[in-house]
Amino acid sequence: MTIQADQETVIVETFINGQYVKSLSQLAKENPANPTEIVGYFPVTTKEQAVEAIEAAAVAFKTWKQTSIDERIMMMRKAIEKIRAAENEIVYLLSREHGKPLYDAHGEIYVSLMWMEFACNEVTSALQEEIKTHENGKTILSYDPIGVVAAISPWNYPIALSTIKIAPALLAGNTIVLKPSPYAPLAAAKVAEIIASEFPAGVINVVHGDADVGVELTTNPHVTKIAFTGGTATAKHIIKAASETIKDMTLELGGNDAAIFLESFDVHDERAMRRIVISNFLTTGQICMIAKRVYVHRSIYDEFVEKYIEAANRWIRIGDPFDSNTTVGPVNNLKQKNVVLGLVEDAQNRGAKVIPLGQILDQKLFDQGYYLQPTLVLGCDVHDPIVVEEQFGPTVPILPFDDEEQVVHLHNESLYGLTSSVWGKEEDAISVARQLEAGTTMINTAAVQGLDVRFPFGGFKQSGIGREYGTEGIRTYTEKHVINVPKTLDLPYIPE
Ligand code: NAD
């Protein structure tokens, strides 16, 4: 693969059964920092091609499921090495098509490879057959592959949220059809192709498009599992679409993650202040697990806000994603920029105070791209849209609270429950954390800074169903098959 830093136009194609399939029409992917620049083209996969991809995966599954785990690990490790060797090229492409700064794009590859390595190291023990002999005979529990997995990923972490599915699905003996998001299709497709080059034809297939292709993936009877990461509204369509054929599903959805600062939090701790700013604005705030609403104990509120603004103005440098000084890039797409702008304007109309944060490094670039200056929103009501909805962009409301009971209630009344964080003296923070309805709660840090791929990740309530990462993130790609050999073959209560 040869991708250059800023010149080459990248073309990806639908990839079925180890072959590129020419498409009749293609869409352009622009650079969000400079929307007149075309980064590359991706195809509009037709319904017929999507069906072909699914059928190729179904045929490949028949032989792929017979391979040993050792063989699969060997192939995956070779793919990991190839990704590592191509890291710089992938990072440039990701940064150009997505808008995330280079360090952040490197971070995405770092997390992707960490998980892929973990999955390789863990899969043998995770899928080890369990044999139990007991007073009533013998029981064997095996973890069998499910079949064809439709993997549908979002635009915000296109590589990490594709490999989080590809690695465990393949290692567990499944085949896959991946559909990246049309808002960031290029780098994810390239990484999928690198992985595919180490696996037999048909084991990984890549299709492109949006809901049209998504509907085929979620209704086709050959697909037995859907692994979806994206918005809660889309997941509702997927659940309905899949209901006719009752598919297994892992759904990783939206979040409205709260960060709670207790009375015991030290507002003079500059490292902690920097961590919360990063937890709000990394990837321009476009992360499912970013801290999206901040509650601060009233006794430290004023000083907290003052220190927060200082820390934010130090860390946030909005600029060219290729400039090493930049910490915050543009929003990925115009639609998302307008969603965030709408929420900020609505808060302002309701009487909130909006404070711009950080420095703009290049005003000309800022004006031409999908940039938004990060903002802090003060004086909101706890039920204002900017507080209760997922803003998924560079703005954050900070609100005061009076006691633990109140803040736990505010946290838990949300429809979402992905991650949360509690900041302050460790034992106080853990005690509050235990009361929160969230898949992960981090203490004195938040967002990706507190992510641990060795443990299951997912959401309570409308933030999702099932878990990725950890041993569970591997077993979720299996059916649990029990083979029972009872000693007592006839039940005593059934008459002769
Ligand atoms: P989205 O739901 O708009 O799109 C996600 C994917 O679904 C895309 O590939 C899209 O093309 C596809 N899609 C759209 N309609 C479909 C349909 N009817 N059937 C099948 N597929 C369809 O989400 P997005 O805007 O790409 O991503 C942002 C959302 O993802 C946010 O809500 C964010 O919180 C969430 N997210 C969650 C996690 C997590 O782990 N919980 C991680 C990242 C992002």
Side-chain angles (χ1 to χ4, degrees), residues 40-108:
Y41 293 90
F42 63 102
V44 182
T45 302
T46 62
K47 179 183 176 316
E48 291 69 28
Q49 288 168 339
V51 171
E52 226 183 285
I54 294 165
E55 287 173 355
V59 171
F61 176 64
K62 291 186 187 145
T63 42
W64 179 246
K65 68 175 176 183
Q66 319 273 7
T67 54
S68 72
I69 291 189
D70 286 347
E71 274 175 89
R72 299 174 204 154
I73 294 173
M74 204 176 64
M75 293 178 200
M76 193 60 76
R77 287 203 193 282
K78 284 192 184 156
I80 290 172
E81 282 323 306
K82 279 192 172 172
I83 295 172
R84 197 163 272 135
E87 175 164 351
N88 282 334
E89 297 161 67
I90 299 167
V91 157
Y92 275 105
L93 177 59
L94 177 61
S95 179
R96 269 177 84 207
E97 74 164 326
H98 185 281
K100 56 177 76 185
L102 289 176
Y103 79 91
D104 195 9
H106 270 293
E108 179 165 350

Side-chain angles (χ1 to χ4, degrees), residues 344-365:
V344 174
E345 274 168 22
D346 172 80
Q348 222 157 7
N349 292 339
R350 290 167 190 267
K353 186 172 166 195
V354 176
I355 300 172
L357 300 171
Q359 359 155 8
I360 297 170
L361 299 178
D362 180 341
Q363 189 64 49
K364 189 162 165 262
L365 188 79

Side-chain angles (χ1 to χ4, degrees), residues 217-239:
L217 294 184
T218 52
T219 52
N220 189 299
H222 289 302
V223 171
T224 37
K225 170 156 183 122
I226 298 169
F228 171 78
T229 305
T232 298
T234 311
K236 290 178 186 176
H237 291 295
I238 289 179
I239 291 169

Side-chain angles (χ1 to χ4, degrees), residues 218-388:
T218 52
T219 52
N220 189 299
H222 289 302
V223 171
T224 37
K225 170 156 183 122
I226 298 169
F228 171 78
T229 305
T232 298
T234 311
K236 290 178 186 176
H237 291 295
I238 289 179
I239 291 169
K240 280 190 201 133
S243 66
E244 273 303 308
T245 46
I246 313 284
K247 299 183 192 311
D248 189 300
M249 275 187 218
T250 306
L251 303 176
E252 293 291 354
L253 311 178
N256 189 19
D257 302 4
I260 298 171
F261 288 80
L262 304 177
E263 208 170 358
S264 57
F265 175 73
D266 177 8
V267 293
H268 300 285
D269 180 345
E270 284 191 8
R271 294 299 296 177
M273 275 298 175
R274 180 178 176 274
R275 277 201 300 284
I276 182 60
V277 169
I278 293 169
S279 305
N280 297 137
F281 294 107
L282 187 69
T283 319
T284 319
Q286 305 163 119
I287 309 184
C288 56
M289 60 183 307
I290 210 96
K292 292 171 183 148
R293 47 189 172 129
V294 175
Y295 298 102
V296 180
H297 193 274
R298 201 177 292 280
S299 64
I300 58 167
Y301 180 82
D302 289 341
E303 221 182 340
F304 180 93
V305 169
E306 186 192 316
K307 298 288 175 198
Y308 183 95
I309 294 170
E310 282 171 23
N313 285 340
R314 265 197 303 274
W315 188 73
I316 297 173
R317 297 181 296 274
I318 310 130
D320 181 351
F322 279 9
D323 178 348
S324 59
N325 280 321
T326 299
T327 53
V328 174
V331 174
N332 169 265
N333 59 78
L334 204 49
K335 185 171 145 209
Q336 193 57 34
K337 178 178 167 176
N338 288 332
V339 168
V340 181
L341 266 179
L343 285 168
V344 174
E345 274 168 22
D346 172 80
Q348 222 157 7
N349 292 339
R350 290 167 190 267
K353 186 172 166 195
V354 176
I355 300 172
L357 300 171
Q359 359 155 8
I360 297 170
L361 299 178
D362 180 341
Q363 189 64 49
K364 189 162 165 262
L365 188 79
F366 184 92
D367 294 339
Q368 81 185 5
Y370 303 146
Y371 283 92
L372 253 188
Q373 180 151 17
T375 46
L376 173 61
V377 184
L378 302 176
C380 305
D381 180 81
V382 292
H383 293 124
D384 280 354
I386 199 160
V387 182
V388 297

Side-chain angles (χ1 to χ4, degrees), residues 152-155 161 179 210 214 228-231 234 252-254 288 390:
I152 303 175
S153 54
W155 51 262
L161 297 172
K179 193 197 81 57
D210 205 358
F228 171 78
T229 305
T234 311
E252 293 291 354
L253 311 178
C288 56
E390 181 187 40

